[in-house]
Amino acid sequence: MCCPRSALERVVLCQHTPRSLPGAAGGRSWMTRARRSAKAESQASDDEAASEVLSHCSSASESTSVAEEGTGSDVVDEQAQQEEVEDKLKECIDNMMDKSTKTRQGALESLRLAFSSKTLFDFLLERRLTLMDSLEKCLKKGKGEEQSLAANVLTLLCLQMGSGPEGEEVFHSLKPLLISILTDSSASPVARQSCATALGVCCYIAAADMEDLVSCLACLEGIFSTSCPEEGSSLPLLQTLHCNTIQSWALLLTICPSSQIKKILDNHLLKLPLLLSSDNVNLRIVVGETIALLFELAHELEEEFFYEDTDLLCTKLRALATDSNKYRAKTDRRKQRSIFRDVLHFIENGECHEETIKFGLECMYVDSWVRRRMYSAFKEVLGSGIRHHLQNNELLREIFDLGPPLVLDAAAIKASKISRFEKHLYNSAAFKARTKARSRVRDKRADIL
């Protein structure tokens, strides 16, 4: 009795019979080779499957043993991971002095990612002088992208060190170099943009006295004041640089004393509205937010603050809040309309749109233009790491009045997590509500048409 053929052999025999080959002998030899290769492949696949099973079993047994060992093994694992991270960071710090530009840039990028996603105060405290020397050399001798990365890492280093003596030391040692690059018109625009952000954030964190604050404000103001021409004249280039300098300048306004705020209101409430006619959407938005911030600071000084050209300003803001020009990109129009609706509503009614920021088991309310500028500045620097730092960075928690970091055990974290089914129900309900709301709006549009 013949043994049943394997599936692979049946397919082979169906596709290549002896008649289709040059001679029966050729067909038999071909089929023999096919059987052997099929057997070898099946044996190899069986070996792979067996190895996968063995590895799965070993990993399962390892996980079981780890679970049985309990908390002690978890602590050992965390320590091993921490040591591995520190070894990689030490290597990156050493590579910042490498002769190769590509190696230095790679090291700076790795440090930027690490500093923005972890809190490393103890590790950096011992190595801050080495880092400061390396960053100084990158800023002095580097070009373009390297200078930009060095300025970003400097900002994060200052954020990690905090507002104490260590942070002040970092800021004061590299402040002259940041100002030198920022005011150098021949320097790379990318480097100047990063230096503008670094100067504003580092001064906000670690400025020790009023002299530091005033000098940084004057430096930033000198850069973006070239964007404030007389009405009708053409706007200069480097608008992204002007965006960064205005944002850093606005951040420093939030810690200015009232006497300084009065001078700034007199000088800039007439000039800044001219920039609302810029052809750069980001510059228009930054200027609109800064005008709202100035109005908020003015009302804190005087409850009955009155601006003579409020009607003209509101007309400009209303035009931008309802802008439908087709020559602008759709996403730009949508973003612009959203921001300027909030700005216009605040100037007319004194009410700021409230935003809720959730991180871990906590949440934070951004309910003023001052807090909005502060949060946006740190979010720009930290990127996706902003939530981790809001949870664990003592400096940020002090700035936003969040209190000391929460200490949570594994049970509390597990209890706070929502199951996948609950997420599905929530998303379904939100989708239905959104669909109903949009359908009602569409019906109204249809009636109007």
Side-chain angles (χ1 to χ4, degrees):
M1 183 175 180
C2 296
C3 297
R5 299 178 184 275
S6 66
L8 178 60
E9 290 174 352
R10 287 200 299 271
V11 172
V12 169
L13 289 175
C14 290
Q15 292 180 346
H16 302 283
T17 61
R19 293 178 185 174
S20 62
L21 297 171
R28 284 192 296 272
S29 63
W30 190 92
M31 286 188 288
T32 303
R33 290 197 301 272
R35 290 191 189 100
R36 289 175 180 171
S37 62
K39 185 176 181 181
E41 289 175 359
S42 63
Q43 186 175 358
S45 61
D46 291 342
D47 292 340
E48 290 175 0
S51 64
E52 287 178 2
V53 171
L54 289 173
S55 63
H56 176 73
C57 292
S58 64
S59 63
S61 63
E62 286 174 4
S63 61
T64 305
S65 63
V66 168
E68 290 173 354
E69 287 175 6
T71 310
S73 63
D74 292 340
V75 173
V76 172
D77 290 343
E78 288 179 4
Q79 289 177 349
Q81 290 177 1
Q82 183 68 19
E83 289 176 1
E84 184 180 355
V85 169
E86 290 182 359
D87 289 340
K88 290 180 179 178
L89 290 175
K90 290 174 185 176
E91 184 181 353
C92 290
I93 293 173
D94 292 338
N95 287 339
M96 289 174 65
M97 303 297 290
D98 196 89
K99 292 181 180 180
S100 169
T101 303
K102 187 176 181 180
T103 303
R104 293 197 303 271
Q105 289 183 5
L108 288 167
E109 178 63 18
S110 298
L111 290 174
R112 185 189 70 79
L113 293 172
F115 292 180
S116 62
S117 60
K118 299 178 184 296
T119 46
L120 301 162
F121 177 80
D122 294 332
F123 173 81
L124 294 174
L125 184 61
E126 302 172 358
R127 298 166 179 82
R128 69 183 187 282
L129 297 178
T130 304
L131 264 170
M132 287 158 54
D133 290 341
S134 301
L135 289 172
E136 183 177 1
K137 290 178 181 177
C138 290
L139 287 169
K140 280 183 176 178
K141 299 180 180 180
K143 303 291 182 183
E145 186 64 25
E146 184 179 351
Q147 289 178 313
S148 175
L149 286 168
N152 293 336
V153 173
L154 169 62
T155 308
L156 291 166
L157 177 61
C158 197
L159 183 59
Q160 293 273 355
M161 291 293 96
S163 57
E166 298 83 6
E168 292 178 16
E169 183 182 20
V170 172
F171 172 57
H172 283 128
S173 64
L174 294 174
K175 172 190 167 186
L177 197 51
L178 292 175
I179 292 177
S180 174
I181 296 172
L182 177 59
T183 54
D184 183 4
S185 58
S186 63
S188 165
V190 177
R192 296 178 72 192
Q193 291 163 23
S194 297
C195 287
T197 301
L199 185 65
V201 175
C202 291
C203 181
Y204 180 88
I205 293 171
D209 49 39
M210 189 64 187
E211 185 180 349
D212 287 331
L213 180 60
V214 171
S215 63
C216 290
L217 281 170
C219 176
L220 294 165
E221 187 177 329
I223 300 297
F224 76 79
S225 61
T226 58
S227 301
C228 298
E230 295 297 325
E231 192 152 13
S233 60
S234 60
L235 296 176
L237 298 174
L238 303 175
Q239 291 167 325
T240 305
L241 172 63
H242 296 147
C243 286
N244 287 25
T245 52
I246 292 174
Q247 287 175 326
S248 292
W249 179 76
L251 176 66
L252 296 182
L253 292 184
T254 63
I255 57 173
C256 272
S258 56
S259 58
Q260 194 72 21
I261 292 293
K262 288 180 180 178
K263 296 178 183 177
I264 289 169
L265 289 172
D266 293 338
N267 292 333
H268 291 282
L269 266 184
L270 293 174
K271 296 178 181 179
L272 282 176
L274 298 177
L275 285 174
L276 294 174
S277 59
S278 168
D279 58 351
N280 185 291
V281 63
N282 292 321
L283 185 57
R284 291 196 301 271
I285 288 172
V286 167
V287 170
E289 291 175 333
T290 305
I291 290 171
L293 175 65
L294 287 174
F295 267 79
E296 185 174 89
L297 295 172
H299 282 294
E300 288 179 1
L301 291 176
E302 300 178 39
E303 289 188 8
E304 302 300 325
F305 170 76
F306 176 74
Y307 178 57
E308 294 180 357
D309 296 327
T310 300
D311 292 339
L312 178 61
L313 176 61
C314 287
T315 301
K316 288 184 177 181
L317 295 175
R318 194 172 291 108
L320 291 168
T322 57
D323 186 11
S324 60
N325 289 320
K326 297 298 182 182
Y327 65 85
R328 301 194 201 279
K330 185 182 290 186
T331 53
D332 289 349
R333 292 201 307 269
R334 187 183 298 117
K335 183 179 178 183
Q336 174 182 288
R337 287 197 295 261
S338 175
I339 296 294
F340 279 101
R341 279 197 297 267
D342 294 342
V343 174
L344 179 64
H345 184 71
F346 176 75
I347 290 177
E348 289 183 334
N349 304 309
E351 297 176 359
C352 181
H353 173 72
E354 184 177 291
E355 185 180 359
T356 304
I357 311 298
K358 295 182 180 180
F359 49 97
L361 301 181
E362 302 173 89
C363 66
M364 176 181 73
Y365 299 102
V366 180
D367 54 1
S368 68
W369 289 99
V370 169
R371 285 177 73 85
R372 192 167 180 167
R373 177 83 289 273
M374 290 157 54
Y375 176 72
S376 298
F378 288 109
K379 184 181 178 182
E380 181 183 356
V381 170
L382 293 167
S384 60
I386 180 67
R387 299 184 190 281
H388 171 81
H389 279 266
L390 285 173
Q391 286 180 277
N392 302 289
N393 190 308
E394 293 182 2
L395 172 67
L396 279 192
R397 295 186 69 85
E398 181 183 348
I399 288 172
F400 291 105
D401 300 321
L402 297 172
L406 299 181
V407 179
L408 300 173
D409 56 3
I413 296 173
K414 186 176 181 181
S416 67
K417 290 184 178 179
I418 303 174
S419 67
R420 187 174 296 179
F421 180 67
E422 289 175 330
K423 286 182 181 178
H424 174 71
L425 292 178
Y426 174 80
N427 290 334
S428 298
F431 175 75
K432 289 180 181 178
R434 187 166 58 247
T435 303
K436 288 181 180 178
R438 288 177 176 175
S439 63
R440 283 197 295 269
V441 173
R442 291 190 184 104
D443 291 342
K444 289 179 182 178
R445 288 176 181 172
D447 293 340
I448 293 172
L449 292 173

